[in-house]
């Protein structure tokens, strides 16, 4: 089909669209929705094949809607389709940019699909109410009813997957990916930032008894360790073979958590009174160590007793070493 240019008068209001423009808008919308569902399917196919097949079927249905709309358009207005899209209409719904799909979780993708179907239903009902001929009103009304059925399909998606056992497998795969991409490097960074900075920070604190100097040492150690850990994590594994996810995500998680781990017990030294700052910093250290042990138990399935022994005892020894070295 050929396209004819649409005069650039700015964004239009839906109520001002002609029947020809409404049908053209519906065609463009169905084309875009079909592509979005196809992209969802392609992204999910490797890790979540059951859900991917559902989105492939939804993309096929949207393409069938587009075909029916084009046939009606051709019979009423000929082969020249007005190139009007969602962004040309001021009060029309917009879709999420394609590049943001890569960051969506499986549950969020299902929620996005449900919202898409509800918005499409509302559009077809509004368009059918404005249709002036019986054939157009019938088709738009039928499409609105089909979008309602699609909503039910999306809502039933979780139940269907659960019944087949695929939901459990997909949930486990999603959890595993979350742990590999975010929790594991973040936990390594938090441990490194919390434990490795203990000795220099508390050695400086007890050697100088100067809160500001201690804070500067802690800040530099935390930021330096965060940058080093972040780049190391991102550079040593591209994630393609290990399946651990994008390097920048792992590097970000590791770098940020390393920095936060060190800053936790450096920030109290902004308090000018040395012993008050030190007491707060030591209390924060043990909160950090217990938090690390909890994360290991919660996400890495490390027995709590072992996690406490490894982290709290080890961190306590490093803390004591720093205090002894600074006091000597």
């Amino acid at each position: 089909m050929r396209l004819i240019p649409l005069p650039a008068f700015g964004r239009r209001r839906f109520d001002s669209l002609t029947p020809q423009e409404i049908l053209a808008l519906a065609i463009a919308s169905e084309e875009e929705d079909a592509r979005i569902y196809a992209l969802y399917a392609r992204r999910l196919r490797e890790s979540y094949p059951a859900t991917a097949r559902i989105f492939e079927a939804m993309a096929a249905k949207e393409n069938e809607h587009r075909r029916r709309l084009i046939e009606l358009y051709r019979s009423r207005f000929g082969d020249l389709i007005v190139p009007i899209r969602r962004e040309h209409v001021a009060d029309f719904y917009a879709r999420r940019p394609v590049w943001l799909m890569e960051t969506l979780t499986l549950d969020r993708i299902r929620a996005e699909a449900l919202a898409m179907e509800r918005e499409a239903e509302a559009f077809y009902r509004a368009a059918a109410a404005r249709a002036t001929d019986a054939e157009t009103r019938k088709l738009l009304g039928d499409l609105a009813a089909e979008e309602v059925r699609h909503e039910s399909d999306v809502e039933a998606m979780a139940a269907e997957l659960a019944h087949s056992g695929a939901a459990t497998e997909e949930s486990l795969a999603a959890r595993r990916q979350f742990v590999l991409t975010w929790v594991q490097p973040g936990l390594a960074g938090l441990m490194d930032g919390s434990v490795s900075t203990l000795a220099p920070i508390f050695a400086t604190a007890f050697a100088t008894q100067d809160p500001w100097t201690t804070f500067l040492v802690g800040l530099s150690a935390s930021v330096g360790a965060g940058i080093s850990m972040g780049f190391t994590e991102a550079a040593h594994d591209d994630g393609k073979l290990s399946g651990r996810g994008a390097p920048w995500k792992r590097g970000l998680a590791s770098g940020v958590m390393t920095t936060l781990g060190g800053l936790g017990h450096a920030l109290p030294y902004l308090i000018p009174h040395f012993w008050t700052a030190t007491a707060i910093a030591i209390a924060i250290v043990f909160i950090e160590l217990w938090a690390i042990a909890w994360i290991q138990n919660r996400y890495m399935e490390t027995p709590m007793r072992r996690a406490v022994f490894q982290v709290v005892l080890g961190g306590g020894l490093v803390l004591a070493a720093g205090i002894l070295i600074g006091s000597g």
Side-chain angles (χ1 to χ4, degrees):
M1 288 211 171
R2 295 170 292 166
L3 300 178
I4 58 175
L6 183 71
F9 295 126
R11 300 183 72 190
R12 300 275 298 279
R13 305 295 298 183
F14 179 75
D15 290 342
S16 71
L17 299 181
T18 65
Q20 181 182 13
E21 291 169 339
I22 288 176
L23 278 180
L25 179 60
I27 292 169
S29 299
E30 291 290 354
E31 288 174 344
E32 184 176 358
D33 285 356
R35 287 195 295 268
I36 290 173
Y37 288 143
L39 285 171
Y40 282 157
R42 186 176 68 181
R43 181 195 159 189
L44 299 172
R45 188 173 295 116
E46 182 176 350
S47 300
Y48 314 112
T51 301
R53 286 192 293 272
I54 293 175
F55 280 116
E56 288 170 354
M58 293 175 69
K61 291 178 181 178
E62 301 301 321
N63 280 323
E64 173 61 20
H65 291 179
R66 175 186 56 83
R67 184 191 63 78
R68 291 162 63 186
L69 286 163
I70 289 177
E71 288 180 355
L72 176 61
Y73 187 99
R74 180 184 286 116
S75 68
R76 292 199 61 198
F77 305 110
D79 290 340
L80 302 177
I81 299 181
V82 176
I84 185 170
R85 297 186 299 276
R86 292 184 176 101
E87 59 267 29
H88 298 153
V89 183
D91 47 358
F92 201 59
Y93 59 87
R95 294 298 188 223
R96 180 180 293 271
V98 170
W99 56 88
L100 294 183
M101 294 181 189
E102 298 300 323
T103 65
L104 297 181
T105 64
L106 181 60
D107 287 339
R108 186 57 190 271
I109 287 176
R110 291 170 179 161
E112 288 285 324
L114 182 60
M116 288 171 61
E117 296 300 331
R118 287 175 175 169
E119 290 166 347
E121 176 205 350
F123 163 67
Y124 281 124
R125 293 199 183 282
R130 296 193 56 218
T132 56
D133 69 286
E135 185 180 9
T136 301
R137 183 184 292 268
K138 180 181 183 302
L139 175 59
L140 295 176
D142 289 345
L143 292 179
E146 290 184 22
E147 298 297 345
V148 173
R149 288 195 292 273
H150 292 179
E151 291 177 40
S152 300
D153 291 342
V154 176
E155 290 175 336
M157 185 184 298
E160 179 180 343
L161 294 175
H163 180 71
S164 66
T168 302
E169 296 176 7
E170 293 186 354
S171 296
L172 290 174
R175 175 185 168 84
R176 177 180 179 277
Q177 191 62 57
F178 173 73
V179 169
L180 289 176
T181 303
W182 296 104
V183 176
Q184 191 178 72
L187 178 61
L190 183 60
M191 292 177 64
D192 185 83
S194 297
V195 176
S196 67
T197 58
L198 287 176
I201 289 176
F202 284 96
T204 302
F206 280 85
T208 65
Q209 295 199 2
D210 180 357
W212 180 246
T213 299
T214 304
F215 170 73
L216 292 179
V217 171
L219 178 64
S220 60
S222 302
V223 173
I227 294 172
S228 175
M229 284 288 288
F231 274 99
T232 300
E233 177 63 42
H236 90 276
D237 180 10
D238 62 9
K240 293 180 180 178
L241 295 179
S242 66
R244 297 180 63 222
W248 72 267
K249 293 181 180 179
R250 293 183 286 104
L252 179 65
S254 180
V256 169
M257 295 308 293
T258 301
T259 302
L260 292 178
L263 285 178
H265 44 267
L267 288 175
Y269 284 100
L270 288 172
I271 299 171
H273 188 271
F274 172 74
W275 288 110
T276 301
T278 299
I280 294 174
I282 291 175
I284 290 175
V285 166
F286 282 97
I287 293 173
E288 291 172 347
L289 296 178
W290 277 99
I292 292 170
W294 180 86
I295 293 172
Q296 281 191 325
N297 175 258
R298 174 70 174 80
Y299 290 101
M300 309 305 293
E301 299 181 0
T302 303
M304 192 64 181
R305 183 176 299 180
R306 185 193 304 173
V308 170
F309 179 79
Q310 292 175 341
V311 177
V312 177
L313 179 59
L317 291 174
V318 176
L319 172 64
I323 293 174
L324 288 174
I325 291 171
S327 300

